[in-house]
Amino acid sequence: MPALLLIAHGSRDPRHAATVAALVEEVRAQRPGVEVVTAYLDHCAPRIPQVVGRLADAVAVPLLLNRAFHAKHDIPAALRAAGSRLPVAEVLGPSPLLLAALERRLAEAGLDVSSPAVRARTGVVLAAAGSSDPAADAATRAVAAEWRRSRGWAAVEVAYASAAGPRVPDALAALRAAGAERTAVSPYLLAPGLLPDRIAAAAAGADVLADVLGPAPELATLLLHRHDEARHAERPAPALTA
């Protein structure tokens, strides 16, 4: 089976690499037969050129939620610069597994997500990093809309930590104006760092603050799904025989 080359963005915050390492261990636990190797775009080691040369057969799987600049440009460019022609899997979102991971974190923070009545009274802020790519932000808004539709939340509002608004306090105010009795902030982010800390500081008025997605089992399962999709897509069709 081709190795799974997990390509993460990287961060100066040591919590980022520790979270990626924990996620890799969860992937290995779910599928012990697959080799999992990590490479980073920036800030952390090893970088992509240090890794791809020793991988004879692998699928690159971006640890990214949306198809924005890193997925469209940075990762392909880094692989080309390293002389690699590895197939690249799709980004993680959208997926029902991400919604399940978000709800896992809300449940861990004390919200009874299994109760339809609780969900019907609760408004959620889906707090994302934000992007300069309008398509990426549109994808995040689509995730919020699907989450509300499929799970019956009172409302789901999107807020951004790094792009132009709305910010978390704006989204919380919109939820209350829409009649939500309780509010929760759910970071749509993969690992701790500057932006999650910014979201947490802005979420002081919420009733519930969830953790980042981190090494959630659903996230590991999704990484394996993306790996499988890409490796099957690369497999040539069988020859027709008489």
Side-chain angles (χ1 to χ4, degrees):
M1 180 180 292
L4 191 160
L5 173 60
L6 182 67
I7 300 182
H9 182 269
S11 170
R12 294 184 180 89
D13 190 319
R15 295 174 296 171
H16 178 91
T19 300
V20 172
L23 179 58
V24 166
E25 289 307 307
E26 178 63 29
V27 172
R28 289 173 176 154
Q30 290 191 21
R31 191 177 296 178
V34 65
E35 179 185 8
V36 185
V37 181
T38 305
Y40 292 92
L41 280 172
D42 202 1
H43 302 303
C44 302
R47 302 291 179 86
I48 290 173
Q50 297 172 281
V51 172
V52 295
R54 63 183 176 86
L55 295 175
D57 188 16
V59 172
V61 183
L63 187 60
L64 299 170
L65 293 171
N66 284 333
R67 186 166 174 75
F69 191 83
H70 295 312
K72 293 177 181 177
H73 302 285
D74 288 348
I75 289 177
L79 289 169
R80 286 194 303 269
S84 172
R85 299 180 64 184
L86 293 179
V88 181
E90 287 296 326
V91 295
L92 299 177
S95 169
L97 286 166
L98 287 175
L99 301 184
L102 289 166
E103 293 198 0
R104 172 186 291 274
R105 295 306 185 220
L106 284 171
E108 291 169 349
L111 187 65
D112 184 6
V113 299
S114 65
S115 168
V118 169
R119 295 196 304 270
R121 294 194 301 269
T122 304
V124 182
V125 177
L126 186 67
S131 173
S132 58
D133 187 329
D137 285 345
T140 300
R141 292 193 297 273
V143 168
E146 174 61 18
W147 198 14
R148 180 183 184 183
R149 186 202 64 78
S150 63
R151 295 292 286 162
W153 297 104
V156 179
E157 293 283 341
V158 173
Y160 300 113
S162 65
R167 302 296 189 188
V168 170
D170 303 322
L172 287 170
L175 291 175
R176 295 188 187 99
E181 297 176 20
R182 300 189 71 196
T183 57
V185 174
S186 188
Y188 193 49
L189 295 163
L190 293 162
L194 175 64
L195 297 184
D197 288 349
R198 186 179 295 169
I199 287 169
D207 297 302
V208 176
L209 171 63
D211 201 355
V212 295
L213 295 168
E218 297 85 357
L219 196 58
T221 300
L222 181 53
L223 287 167
L224 288 166
H225 282 347
R226 295 295 186 244
H227 173 266
D228 291 344
E229 290 167 352
R231 71 185 179 91
H232 290 315
E234 287 292 311
R235 184 176 298 171
L240 296 177
T241 57

